Amino acid sequence: MFDKVQNLDVVLREANLRPTRQRIDLARLLFSKGERHVCAETLFEEAREAGVMVSLATIYNTLHQFTDNGLLRAITVDSSRTYFDTNTGDHHHFYLEDSNELMDMPDGYVKIDNLPKPPEGLEISSVDVVVRVRPTSKN
Amino acid sequence: MFDKVQNLDVVLREANLRPTRQRIDLARLLFSKGERHVCAETLFEEAREAGVMVSLATIYNTLHQFTDNGLLRAITVDSSRTYFDTNTGDHHHFYLEDSNELMDMPDGYVKIDNLPKPPEGLEISSVDVVVRVRPTSKN
DNA sequence: ATTTGTGCAAATCGTTTGCATCTGA
DNA sequence: TCAGATGCAAACGATTTGCACAAAT
């Protein structure tokens, strides 16, 4: 992660992506602030605030290319938007239902036991665990 | 057939929903064929095939009302559409990535251990486990 | 009579696409 | 040079919404 920051040029090259100005700028935004969960719109806004010129179309392209090349991981928890996680390792999430925010779940937790084998001819691609949480009700 | 309608009538009343013609027709489609995973568009199509007259807007309204009143469970696995499961009990899913299909995972499997407590002020709303599967690659 | 539900069409909204124009190797 | 990238605007597809009309209690 931190090494991703050091040489964005190399990171992109190793991911088979041309280090273009916008990809480097976006990579810097994504990887120089620790773990993050962004969606296209939030990254676009962040870029704008940082004075980085990128079109929304390029944001989408970049997020997908990064995902396809292992720099990001896509998370589906809200059917209205797609989230991207800078942490590509194996881990699970809390999803705050009231604010639509994602949080990484501390690793080492959640152990899944007794997973059934998938139906004939199918293999497991990933196991996603999402714990949906909401403000404690005070009844 | 006649008592079937009567039953649906009761089901809807107990869910605090007026047993209108379209709600009864949709309930029959949803609950008289065992476990199902539908999305708005598939239910709409099914209704059309069954000669049931319902507008798409009503399909959406009904799916949400049924969900809010415990007759259905909403599942988010694909950021482009929302699935509804007629099985409202505690269980998890296989998601076939190539066909965008959902399958219930046999119950009694998947035991989750060591779940971290949610952040301050938050309580668990649900724990969703989705095992994404794809055709076995033959490399 | 009042309340609630329905249908239609228009409006939203995140995301994708077509295409002309740039840019990095 | 030239394949690959970018930006813009139009296109898209699932879902929602506003509102007049119909049905349920």
Side-chain angles (χ1 to χ4, degrees):
Chain A
M1 227 312 275
F2 190 66
D3 25 311
K4 276 184 190 168
V5 178
Q6 298 186 339
N7 206 332
L8 295 173
D9 229 81
V10 172
V11 171
L12 291 174
R13 288 205 144 82
E14 286 178 346
N16 293 308
L17 293 169
R18 282 194 191 174
T20 64
R21 197 214 81 226
Q22 9 308 66
R23 293 214 265 236
I24 291 174
D25 285 346
L26 292 179
R28 186 173 8 255
L29 286 174
L30 287 169
F31 305 122
S32 64
K33 291 177 190 161
E35 299 297 302
R36 354 232 347 247
H37 299 96
V38 307
C39 61
E41 218 60 53
T42 59
L43 183 56
F44 186 50
E45 176 55 23
E46 224 177 274
R48 208 187 48 65
E49 284 170 5
V52 170
M53 296 286 295
V54 211
S55 72
L56 187 52
T58 295
I59 297 266
Y60 277 103
N61 285 337
T62 302
L63 286 173
H64 286 138
Q65 292 152 353
F66 282 15
T67 299
D68 292 343
N69 294 287
L71 299 180
L72 289 176
R73 170 176 160 191
I75 320 258
T76 304
V77 275
D78 178 326
S79 51
S80 76
R81 54 175 141 273
T82 301
Y83 290 85
F84 296 87
D85 191 342
T86 58
N87 176 358
T88 56
D90 236 319
H91 67 289
H92 304 300
H93 298 93
F94 279 120
Y95 179 61
L96 316 199
E97 293 181 325
D98 63 325
S99 60
N100 300 324
E101 261 177 288
L102 267 177
M103 296 182 73
D104 278 2
M105 197 173 280
D107 207 1
Y109 279 95
V110 182
K111 189 177 49 190
I112 301 196
D113 273 353
N114 206 20
L115 203 60
K117 35 193 166 320
E120 260 312 295
L122 299 175
E123 66 183 2
I124 292 179
S125 163
S126 70
V127 177
D128 297 356
V129 176
V130 175
V131 176
R132 288 168 197 270
V133 295
R134 61 180 169 218
T136 308
S137 50
K138 308 136 187 171
N139 295 333
Chain B
M1 180 54 176
F2 184 66
D3 34 314
K4 188 70 182 179
V5 173
Q6 294 296 78
N7 288 333
L8 293 172
D9 226 81
V10 171
V11 170
L12 290 174
R13 286 207 143 82
E14 287 179 346
N16 293 307
L17 293 169
R18 282 192 187 176
T20 64
R21 198 215 82 226
Q22 13 299 70
R23 293 213 267 236
I24 290 172
D25 284 347
L26 292 178
R28 184 178 306 109
L29 286 175
L30 287 169
F31 305 122
S32 65
K33 291 176 191 161
E35 298 296 301
R36 358 230 345 247
H37 299 96
V38 306
C39 60
E41 217 60 53
T42 59
L43 182 58
F44 186 50
E45 178 53 28
E46 224 177 274
R48 156 166 291 131
E49 284 169 6
V52 171
M53 297 286 294
V54 210
S55 73
L56 186 52
T58 295
I59 297 266
Y60 277 105
N61 286 335
T62 302
L63 286 172
H64 287 137
Q65 292 153 352
F66 282 16
T67 299
D68 293 343
N69 294 287
L71 299 179
L72 291 175
R73 171 175 159 190
I75 319 256
T76 305
V77 275
D78 178 327
S79 51
S80 78
R81 55 176 142 268
T82 302
Y83 290 86
F84 297 86
D85 191 342
T86 58
N87 177 357
T88 57
D90 235 321
H91 67 288
H92 303 300
H93 299 94
F94 279 120
Y95 180 59
L96 317 199
E97 293 181 326
D98 63 326
S99 59
N100 300 324
E101 260 178 288
L102 267 178
M103 296 182 72
D104 277 3
M105 196 173 282
D107 208 3
Y109 279 97
V110 180
K111 188 177 53 189
I112 301 194
D113 273 352
N114 208 18
L115 203 59
K117 35 192 165 318
E120 258 313 292
L122 299 175
E123 66 183 4
I124 293 179
S125 161
S126 71
V127 178
D128 298 356
V129 178
V130 175
V131 176
R132 287 166 197 274
V133 296
R134 57 178 172 222
T136 307
S137 50
K138 304 137 186 171
N139 294 331

